[in-house]
Amino acid sequence: MVLVLVEHRQGEIRDITFEMLTKAAELADETDSKVSAVLLTDDADGFIDELKPWADEILLHEDPKYEFFNSDVYEQALVDIIADKTPDLIMIGHSAQGMELAPSLASETDIPLVTSVIDMWWEDGELVSERQIYGGKVNSEVRYNKKDPYMVTVQAASFEAEEAPNLDGSIIEIDPSIDDSKVFKKFLEYVEPEAGEVDITASEILISIGRGIGEEDNLDIIEELAEAVGGDISGSRPVIDNGWLPDDRQVGQSGKTVTPKLYLAIGISGASQHIIGMKGSETIVAINKDPDAPIFEVADYGIVDDLFDIVPKLTETIKEEYQ
Ligand SMILES: Cc1cc2nc3c(=O)[nH]c(=O)nc-3n(C[C@H](O)[C@H](O)[C@H](O)COP(=O)(O)OP(=O)(O)OC[C@H]3O[C@@H](n4cnc5c(N)ncnc54)[C@H](O)[C@@H]3O)c2cc1C
């Protein structure tokens, strides 16, 4: 059994859940096993229909204790569930919630944990996980000392969750024990980030700039292009660190994950920490003067040239053709 912890927040199942369930279905298929989604919530109503096509079974514990995520409560529930169900593999999102929960759960259950996993597969019946090291410059394959079971936290956007595998999961109500005297944390409140004028996660066209833009004053040509194509502007981390764009426009591992119809990467080298945030875009076009820039490995179309030559010409052509 591959057990996936359903991550939800403020009434919405997070994308990472479906990404994990997609991979879980593949891994379970290869070992003739099944996918179990663990749903811990105070109100399952809205979630069940959404989850059913993605899992063979939904292990449901509905309890007011889950109104807000609390890793102490989740950990106790999962310790019980793991002991009872003896899964082969436990998958948890490498999110703020998962990072808080998984290490302590692994220690409590004595299960080997590999964090921030971007891929995994069975090899001779044993799990191998791939994760990035040295700030994403090298990928490492990790084998475990013991099997039965394994635990991983999964990096967002590592797996595509395009179509549900139509599994029609059965609902199994469970009742793990939770001892209130062992709950040491208390949820206080959600602190929402101030709403920026643009939500790049909802943009259909993103004109994304990198360090190659040189300086803030050069943003003019990008703004003109964005206006011509009706897109929003985002950027790589150095652009944000330099204060050329606001924080909420950063794409990547420590920024946002975006999935626009068109992602135009201008003067961005394509570091793995950037790629992880934009590789789910429908069409990727890159402009970079370095033909060996890694961004071209994920781009559908590439222009090897100086952005200061190309961008104004592109804007002009778009204006002539489409306006
Ligand atoms: C823990 C961690 C988290 C990180 N999180 C993120 C993140 O969320 N998002 C992110 O983006 N990065 C992140 N980074 C940083 C990341 O490793 C890279 O340093 C960063 O993405 C590089 O940004 P860049 O491509 O804009 O700059 P560079 O790597 O400097 O690339 C600039 C590119 O512009 C090209 N160029 C220069 N001049 C021109 C020109 N005139 N015309 C055309 N092309 C030109 C160059 O050929 C080069 O490829 C993170 C790093 C760490 C360690």
Side-chain angles (χ1 to χ4, degrees):
M1 169 195 290
V2 180
L3 201 140
V4 174
L5 177 65
V6 174
E7 178 165 333
H8 57 90
R9 202 169 65 199
Q10 293 175 291
E12 276 185 25
I13 299 176
R14 315 287 295 172
D15 290 349
I16 183 71
T17 303
F18 300 108
E19 292 162 15
M20 289 192 292
L21 287 167
T22 302
K23 186 66 186 177
E26 184 192 312
L27 291 170
D29 202 37
E30 283 165 19
T31 50
D32 256 341
S33 169
K34 62 182 176 183
V35 177
S36 291
V38 177
L39 176 58
L40 308 175
T41 176
D42 64 326
D43 181 8
D45 262 4
F47 295 153
I48 295 291
D49 286 349
E50 218 181 328
L51 283 171
K52 263 173 123 13
W54 292 87
D56 295 297
E57 60 182 30
I58 298 165
L59 303 177
L60 168 66
H61 189 209
E62 209 171 2
D63 191 297
K65 288 192 177 83
Y66 302 119
E67 185 181 1
F68 301 109
F69 174 79
N70 184 322
S71 60
D72 288 346
V73 177
Y74 266 60
E75 182 179 322
Q76 288 190 52
L78 283 163
V79 167
D80 246 29
I81 295 166
I82 292 165
D84 186 38
K85 302 288 175 187
T86 61
D88 305 304
L89 166 65
I90 301 137
M91 294 169 82
I92 296 174
H94 191 76
S95 58
Q97 290 188 8
M99 281 190 263
E100 190 184 332
L101 169 68
S104 165
L105 176 64
S107 152
E108 189 63 27
T109 51
D110 201 23
I111 295 173
L113 165 69
V114 177
T115 57
S116 192
V117 163
I118 56 168
D119 199 4
M120 65 199 113
W121 58 91
W122 301 114
E123 219 171 89
D124 301 325
E126 300 203 3
L127 189 75
V128 183
S129 300
E130 185 173 339
R131 68 190 301 275
Q132 296 181 325
I133 52 172
Y134 302 127
K137 293 205 162 33
V138 178
N139 285 6
S140 64
E141 286 181 14
V142 186
R143 287 171 172 76
Y144 300 71
N145 274 336
K146 62 167 198 179
K147 55 180 199 165
D148 256 6
Y150 307 97
M151 193 185 305
V152 291
T153 61
V154 177
Q155 189 65 251
S158 297
F159 308 110
E160 275 183 34
E162 274 179 357
E163 254 182 64
N166 280 329
L167 294 173
D168 194 24
S170 47
I171 314 297
I172 300 175
E173 298 211 18
I174 52 171
D175 191 18
S177 67
I178 293 160
D179 177 353
D180 285 337
S181 71
K182 290 185 184 153
V183 177
F184 303 106
K185 293 172 195 153
K186 191 174 160 204
F187 175 86
L188 293 180
E189 62 171 329
Y190 283 111
V191 181
E192 300 289 350
E194 272 182 41
E197 46 171 321
V198 172
D199 175 7
I200 59 168
T201 62
S203 302
E204 296 219 324
I205 300 179
L206 276 178
I207 311 298
S208 213
I209 49 165
R211 200 181 341 236
I213 195 69
E215 55 183 280
E216 192 174 5
D217 286 349
N218 296 336
L219 272 172
D220 289 1
I221 56 166
I222 303 298
E223 279 159 7
E224 272 179 50
L225 174 60
E227 200 180 318
V229 295
D232 297 315
I233 302 178
S234 55
S236 66
R237 186 153 118 179
V239 170
I240 283 41
D241 287 349
N242 281 325
W244 301 341
L245 286 176
D247 289 1
D248 58 3
R249 305 288 184 100
Q250 183 180 323
V251 173
Q253 184 182 319
S254 48
K256 297 199 170 159
T257 302
V258 296
T259 49
K261 289 203 165 110
L262 173 66
Y263 189 86
L264 182 48
I266 304 175
I268 294 178
S269 60
S272 60
Q273 295 92 350
H274 186 82
I275 302 286
I276 209 154
M278 46 65 81
K279 65 178 184 186
S281 306
E282 219 170 284
T283 303
I284 299 170
V285 180
I287 304 173
N288 197 306
K289 65 181 182 185
D290 173 8
D292 297 324
I295 191 75
F296 290 124
E297 286 166 28
V298 292
D300 299 287
Y301 302 95
I303 302 168
V304 180
D305 212 330
D306 191 317
L307 71 90
F308 295 104
D309 288 338
I310 296 298
V311 171
K313 282 184 192 144
L314 203 55
T315 309
E316 210 179 286
T317 311
I318 289 165
K319 279 185 178 164
E320 277 170 19
E321 294 280 327
Y322 302 102
Q323 290 179 353

